[in-house]
Amino acid sequence: MYTETLFHGSNRLRGKQIIENQIMEPSRGDNHWLGDGSYFFTEDFHSYKWIVDMYKNRHSHTLNYENLTKFYLILKGNIKVKKSRIFDLTKTEHKILFDRVYKEIKDKRQLGDDFAEGIVINYMFNELPDYKEEFDVVKAVFILNKHKYEHVKTRIGFMPQEQLCIKNLEVVENIVEYDFKERTETFDLLLTDYYFEIHNTQKKPYNKRRSYDYNYKYKKKRSS
């Protein structure tokens, strides 16, 4: 059995509605990292960074706990699910299944340079038999900031970020607001070293190529 406390960054109004209803609200669209579902981080730090990035993107670069929490909050929820019902992309068998579907639909969907994971996973769970019935959760580790380790000789030159996409919302219980005030000093210290190397680059950061807007409509590029 997989039991874990997970974290979700949200705007305050949406978060309060989730707490009141005790049910997560799914995000939908192929642009989302693991397709349709409700997203959680396994580390509270990543939820903090998520709401900080949203705040700076939409409001101001002047940041403190009071003005951040005026607009955003972090939700904490408990998940309890059989391990066999997690489609785990950190496991070889499940990653190979993902790769097979990717190869199958690559040409017909004209994936091109678009990020494939949301498109492929939505296809698996919405159009193929069994996946939706057999799995409640999709789990993955995303490899971030590789370009910040360009001059480092190491096999772990990246920042890992583990996410879970909840397909069956009933596996999430006890959703509450997470009081992270006492953690902000630690979070901000972590952020100072989050980017291993600071230098100009023409490469657009991975997280900046995604939308923070929950109502964003994914538009597939048309081939010329």
Side-chain angles (χ1 to χ4, degrees):
M1 187 69 71
Y2 179 90
T3 58
E4 192 64 73
T5 298
L6 304 174
F7 304 91
H8 174 93
S10 172
N11 69 65
R12 178 158 289 277
L13 177 60
R14 186 172 184 263
K16 285 297 186 182
Q17 291 174 341
I18 290 172
I19 293 172
E20 181 179 351
N21 297 328
Q22 283 298 296
I23 187 74
M24 296 300 299
E25 296 180 5
S27 300
R28 300 190 184 280
D30 291 342
N31 62 298
H32 295 292
W33 294 31
L34 296 170
D36 300 341
S38 183
Y39 284 77
F40 284 88
F41 296 108
T42 56
E43 296 180 66
D44 55 356
F45 165 74
H46 288 303
S47 286
Y48 176 78
K49 184 179 184 301
W50 179 261
I51 63 174
V52 166
D53 287 347
M54 287 196 292
Y55 178 85
K56 289 182 176 180
N57 185 58
R58 295 177 178 176
H59 299 283
S60 169
H61 282 270
T62 302
L63 182 69
N64 58 45
Y65 178 82
E66 284 71 26
N67 58 36
L68 177 64
T69 55
K70 178 181 178 181
F71 296 99
Y72 300 97
L73 54 69
I74 295 176
L75 297 174
K76 180 174 68 173
N78 297 327
I79 179 175
K80 185 176 182 180
V81 63
K82 291 181 179 179
K83 290 183 179 180
S84 61
R85 294 194 62 81
I86 299 176
F87 188 74
D88 190 346
L89 291 166
T90 70
K91 304 298 183 185
T92 302
E93 180 179 356
H94 289 172
K95 182 58 167 59
I96 288 173
L97 290 173
F98 173 92
D99 290 348
R100 287 174 180 169
V101 176
Y102 172 87
K103 292 175 183 178
E104 177 186 335
I105 70 171
K106 183 178 185 297
D107 293 331
K108 70 173 72 172
R109 292 299 177 99
Q110 296 181 333
L111 298 182
D113 294 329
D114 295 327
F115 290 113
E117 56 270 12
I119 300 170
V120 174
I121 291 173
N122 273 346
Y123 179 84
M124 295 171 76
F125 277 78
N126 296 336
E127 300 185 42
L128 295 180
D130 300 332
Y131 285 95
K132 187 174 183 179
E133 288 71 26
E134 291 186 11
F135 299 104
D136 296 316
V137 176
V138 177
K139 176 183 175 184
V141 172
F142 289 91
I143 306 304
L144 308 182
N145 293 355
K146 288 184 69 175
H147 61 291
K148 299 297 184 180
Y149 291 82
E150 288 178 348
H151 304 102
V152 185
K153 190 173 182 180
T154 174
R155 294 183 179 89
I156 52 173
F158 57 85
M159 190 63 63
Q161 185 191 90
E162 187 173 65
Q163 293 188 32
L164 282 84
C165 176
I166 311 299
K167 304 294 185 179
N168 176 9
L169 303 181
E170 294 181 0
V171 304
V172 183
E173 299 177 339
N174 302 321
I175 307 166
V176 298
E177 181 173 355
Y178 177 52
D179 183 3
F180 60 90
K181 187 173 185 179
E182 300 303 319
R183 294 274 287 155
T184 53
E185 183 176 353
T186 298
F187 291 156
D188 290 337
L189 285 172
L190 290 173
L191 282 173
T192 62
D193 291 323
Y194 185 76
Y195 300 101
F196 189 84
E197 292 181 344
I198 303 298
H199 56 82
N200 292 327
T201 177
Q202 299 299 315
K203 192 171 183 178
K204 200 171 184 182
Y206 187 84
N207 64 331
K208 292 297 184 184
R209 297 163 76 178
R210 298 288 186 171
S211 171
Y212 294 119
D213 186 353
Y214 292 107
N215 295 318
Y216 175 82
K217 300 297 184 183
Y218 174 80
K219 295 181 180 179
K220 185 168 62 176
K221 295 178 183 177
R222 295 182 178 179
S223 58
S224 56

Short mmCIF file of all heavy atoms in Angstrom, two decimals, residues 28 41 51 53-54 60 70 100 114 118-119 121 127 132 140 154 167-168 175 183 194 201 203 205 218 224:
data_model
loop_
_atom_site.label_atom_id
_atom_site.label_comp_id
_atom_site.label_asym_id
_atom_site.label_seq_id
_atom_site.Cartn_x
_atom_site.Cartn_y
_atom_site.Cartn_z
N ARG A 28 -7.38 19.80 -16.77
CA ARG A 28 -7.62 19.02 -17.98
C ARG A 28 -6.90 19.64 -19.16
O ARG A 28 -6.79 20.85 -19.29
CB ARG A 28 -9.12 18.92 -18.28
CG ARG A 28 -9.92 18.25 -17.16
CD ARG A 28 -11.34 17.94 -17.56
NE ARG A 28 -12.11 17.40 -16.46
CZ ARG A 28 -12.05 16.13 -16.05
NH1 ARG A 28 -11.26 15.28 -16.68
NH2 ARG A 28 -12.77 15.72 -15.03
N PHE A 41 2.82 17.36 -5.44
CA PHE A 41 4.25 17.14 -5.25
C PHE A 41 4.45 16.30 -3.99
O PHE A 41 3.69 16.41 -3.04
CB PHE A 41 5.00 18.46 -5.07
CG PHE A 41 4.96 19.36 -6.28
CD1 PHE A 41 4.21 20.52 -6.27
CD2 PHE A 41 5.70 19.06 -7.41
CE1 PHE A 41 4.18 21.36 -7.37
CE2 PHE A 41 5.69 19.89 -8.52
CZ PHE A 41 4.92 21.05 -8.50
N ILE A 51 3.87 28.19 -6.17
CA ILE A 51 3.04 29.37 -5.90
C ILE A 51 3.87 30.65 -5.95
O ILE A 51 3.35 31.71 -6.32
CB ILE A 51 2.25 29.25 -4.58
CG1 ILE A 51 3.18 29.16 -3.37
CG2 ILE A 51 1.29 28.06 -4.62
CD1 ILE A 51 2.43 29.19 -2.03
N ASP A 53 6.37 31.16 -8.07
CA ASP A 53 6.48 31.45 -9.50
C ASP A 53 5.18 32.05 -10.04
O ASP A 53 5.21 32.98 -10.86
CB ASP A 53 6.82 30.17 -10.27
CG ASP A 53 8.26 29.72 -10.06
OD1 ASP A 53 9.06 30.51 -9.53
OD2 ASP A 53 8.58 28.57 -10.42
N MET A 54 4.04 31.51 -9.62
CA MET A 54 2.76 32.06 -10.06
C MET A 54 2.59 33.49 -9.57
O MET A 54 2.13 34.36 -10.31
CB MET A 54 1.60 31.18 -9.57
CG MET A 54 1.46 29.87 -10.29
SD MET A 54 -0.15 29.06 -10.02
CE MET A 54 0.00 28.63 -8.28
N SER A 60 3.82 40.46 -8.48
CA SER A 60 4.97 41.31 -8.18
C SER A 60 6.16 40.46 -7.79
O SER A 60 6.01 39.35 -7.28
CB SER A 60 4.61 42.27 -7.03
OG SER A 60 5.75 42.94 -6.55
N LYS A 70 -1.93 35.93 0.56
CA LYS A 70 -3.15 36.66 0.23
C LYS A 70 -3.81 36.08 -1.03
O LYS A 70 -5.03 36.02 -1.14
CB LYS A 70 -2.84 38.15 0.01
CG LYS A 70 -4.05 38.99 -0.38
CD LYS A 70 -3.65 40.44 -0.59
CE LYS A 70 -4.84 41.29 -1.05
NZ LYS A 70 -4.43 42.71 -1.27
N ARG A 100 5.98 2.65 -25.89
CA ARG A 100 5.29 1.94 -26.97
C ARG A 100 4.12 2.77 -27.51
O ARG A 100 3.92 2.87 -28.73
CB ARG A 100 4.79 0.59 -26.47
CG ARG A 100 5.86 -0.46 -26.27
CD ARG A 100 5.27 -1.70 -25.63
NE ARG A 100 6.28 -2.74 -25.42
CZ ARG A 100 6.06 -3.84 -24.70
NH1 ARG A 100 4.86 -4.04 -24.14
NH2 ARG A 100 7.01 -4.74 -24.55
N ASP A 114 6.31 19.22 -29.73
CA ASP A 114 5.49 19.42 -28.54
C ASP A 114 5.89 18.42 -27.46
O ASP A 114 6.35 17.32 -27.73
CB ASP A 114 4.01 19.23 -28.87
CG ASP A 114 3.49 20.28 -29.83
OD1 ASP A 114 3.99 21.42 -29.76
OD2 ASP A 114 2.62 19.96 -30.65
N GLY A 118 1.81 14.57 -21.73
CA GLY A 118 0.39 14.81 -21.49
C GLY A 118 -0.48 14.23 -22.59
O GLY A 118 -1.53 13.64 -22.32
N ILE A 119 -0.03 14.38 -23.84
CA ILE A 119 -0.78 13.85 -24.98
C ILE A 119 -0.85 12.33 -24.91
O ILE A 119 -1.92 11.72 -25.06
CB ILE A 119 -0.11 14.29 -26.30
CG1 ILE A 119 -0.08 15.82 -26.40
CG2 ILE A 119 -0.85 13.69 -27.49
CD1 ILE A 119 0.77 16.32 -27.56
N ILE A 121 -0.30 10.22 -22.29
CA ILE A 121 -1.00 9.68 -21.12
C ILE A 121 -2.51 9.89 -21.25
O ILE A 121 -3.30 9.01 -20.91
CB ILE A 121 -0.45 10.30 -19.82
CG1 ILE A 121 0.97 9.78 -19.60
CG2 ILE A 121 -1.34 9.95 -18.63
CD1 ILE A 121 1.70 10.44 -18.46
N GLU A 127 -8.48 6.71 -24.28
CA GLU A 127 -8.83 6.05 -25.52
C GLU A 127 -8.44 4.57 -25.59
O GLU A 127 -8.90 3.86 -26.48
CB GLU A 127 -8.19 6.80 -26.70
CG GLU A 127 -8.66 8.26 -26.80
CD GLU A 127 -8.13 8.97 -28.03
OE1 GLU A 127 -8.13 8.33 -29.10
OE2 GLU A 127 -7.71 10.14 -27.92
N LYS A 132 -7.52 3.20 -17.51
CA LYS A 132 -8.38 3.94 -16.60
C LYS A 132 -8.93 3.04 -15.51
O LYS A 132 -9.12 3.46 -14.36
CB LYS A 132 -9.53 4.60 -17.38
CG LYS A 132 -10.39 5.53 -16.55
CD LYS A 132 -11.40 6.25 -17.42
CE LYS A 132 -12.23 7.23 -16.62
NZ LYS A 132 -13.21 7.94 -17.49
N ALA A 140 5.63 10.28 -11.71
CA ALA A 140 6.82 10.50 -12.55
C ALA A 140 7.80 11.40 -11.81
O ALA A 140 7.42 12.20 -10.95
CB ALA A 140 6.44 11.13 -13.89
N THR A 154 29.19 15.02 -13.75
CA THR A 154 28.41 14.20 -12.83
C THR A 154 27.27 13.55 -13.59
O THR A 154 26.76 14.12 -14.55
CB THR A 154 27.85 15.04 -11.66
OG1 THR A 154 26.98 14.23 -10.86
CG2 THR A 154 27.07 16.25 -12.17
N LYS A 167 -5.73 10.43 -10.90
CA LYS A 167 -6.80 10.20 -11.86
C LYS A 167 -8.12 9.89 -11.15
O LYS A 167 -9.19 10.32 -11.58
CB LYS A 167 -6.43 9.04 -12.78
CG LYS A 167 -5.11 9.22 -13.53
CD LYS A 167 -5.15 10.36 -14.51
CE LYS A 167 -3.88 10.44 -15.33
NZ LYS A 167 -3.89 11.55 -16.32
N ASN A 168 -8.05 9.14 -10.07
CA ASN A 168 -9.23 8.81 -9.25
C ASN A 168 -9.18 9.68 -8.01
O ASN A 168 -8.44 9.41 -7.06
CB ASN A 168 -9.22 7.33 -8.88
CG ASN A 168 -10.36 6.96 -7.96
OD1 ASN A 168 -11.27 7.75 -7.70
ND2 ASN A 168 -10.33 5.75 -7.43
N ILE A 175 -8.06 16.80 3.15
CA ILE A 175 -7.44 17.94 2.47
C ILE A 175 -7.53 19.17 3.36
O ILE A 175 -8.63 19.59 3.76
CB ILE A 175 -8.11 18.21 1.12
CG1 ILE A 175 -8.14 16.93 0.27
CG2 ILE A 175 -7.40 19.33 0.38
CD1 ILE A 175 -9.07 17.02 -0.93
N ARG A 183 8.41 27.38 7.53
CA ARG A 183 9.30 26.73 6.54
C ARG A 183 9.82 27.71 5.49
O ARG A 183 10.70 27.36 4.70
CB ARG A 183 8.54 25.61 5.83
CG ARG A 183 8.16 24.44 6.71
CD ARG A 183 9.28 23.44 6.80
NE ARG A 183 9.42 22.68 5.55
CZ ARG A 183 10.56 22.11 5.15
NH1 ARG A 183 11.66 22.25 5.87
NH2 ARG A 183 10.60 21.42 4.02
N TYR A 194 18.98 26.60 -5.84
CA TYR A 194 18.19 25.73 -6.71
C TYR A 194 18.79 25.67 -8.11
O TYR A 194 18.81 24.62 -8.74
CB TYR A 194 16.75 26.24 -6.77
CG TYR A 194 15.80 25.37 -7.53
CD1 TYR A 194 15.31 24.19 -6.97
CD2 TYR A 194 15.38 25.72 -8.81
CE1 TYR A 194 14.44 23.37 -7.66
CE2 TYR A 194 14.50 24.91 -9.51
CZ TYR A 194 14.03 23.74 -8.93
OH TYR A 194 13.16 22.93 -9.62
N THR A 201 21.48 31.95 -21.01
CA THR A 201 21.30 30.81 -21.90
C THR A 201 20.15 31.10 -22.85
O THR A 201 19.21 31.79 -22.51
CB THR A 201 21.00 29.53 -21.10
OG1 THR A 201 20.77 28.46 -22.03
CG2 THR A 201 19.79 29.68 -20.21
N LYS A 203 18.39 28.72 -23.97
CA LYS A 203 17.46 27.62 -23.76
C LYS A 203 16.37 28.04 -22.80
O LYS A 203 16.64 28.50 -21.70
CB LYS A 203 18.21 26.41 -23.21
CG LYS A 203 17.40 25.13 -23.22
CD LYS A 203 18.30 23.95 -22.86
CE LYS A 203 17.55 22.65 -22.94
NZ LYS A 203 18.42 21.50 -22.63
N PRO A 205 13.73 27.73 -19.99
CA PRO A 205 13.53 26.76 -18.90
C PRO A 205 12.26 25.96 -19.10
O PRO A 205 11.25 26.47 -19.56
CB PRO A 205 13.44 27.65 -17.66
CG PRO A 205 14.15 28.91 -18.03
CD PRO A 205 13.90 29.09 -19.50
N TYR A 218 -4.97 23.89 -24.59
CA TYR A 218 -3.81 23.45 -25.36
C TYR A 218 -4.11 23.56 -26.85
O TYR A 218 -5.14 23.12 -27.32
CB TYR A 218 -3.48 22.00 -25.00
CG TYR A 218 -2.39 21.41 -25.84
CD1 TYR A 218 -1.07 21.69 -25.56
CD2 TYR A 218 -2.68 20.58 -26.91
CE1 TYR A 218 -0.06 21.14 -26.34
CE2 TYR A 218 -1.68 20.03 -27.67
CZ TYR A 218 -0.37 20.32 -27.38
OH TYR A 218 0.62 19.77 -28.14
N SER A 224 3.71 22.64 -40.98
CA SER A 224 3.69 23.53 -42.15
C SER A 224 3.74 22.71 -43.44
O SER A 224 4.10 21.56 -43.44
CB SER A 224 4.91 24.43 -42.09
OG SER A 224 6.11 23.66 -42.00
#
